[in-house]
Amino acid sequence: MTLHLELAPLISLGAGIGILVFPKLLNYIVAGYLIVLGVLGLLGHPM
């Protein structure tokens, strides 16, 4: 049995939970998410 998970939905879920638990971390979570998407985009990994 193979479990195939995409990275973007997992990051989105983690960011959403983090925002609900720690609202002050919203800026850091959004910045981290954008940095990860940018790096993955530059490396040629499709999201």
Side-chain angles (χ1 to χ4, degrees):
M1 184 168 112
T2 302
L3 181 63
H4 179 50
L5 296 174
E6 294 292 330
L7 185 60
L10 290 176
I11 294 173
S12 298
L13 182 62
I17 292 171
I19 291 167
L20 287 175
V21 176
F22 303 106
K24 291 183 180 182
L25 292 179
L26 175 62
N27 292 333
Y28 296 112
I29 292 170
V30 171
Y33 180 72
L34 292 174
I35 289 169
V36 168
L37 285 181
V39 169
L40 289 177
L42 288 174
L43 294 176
H45 296 291
M47 295 301 289

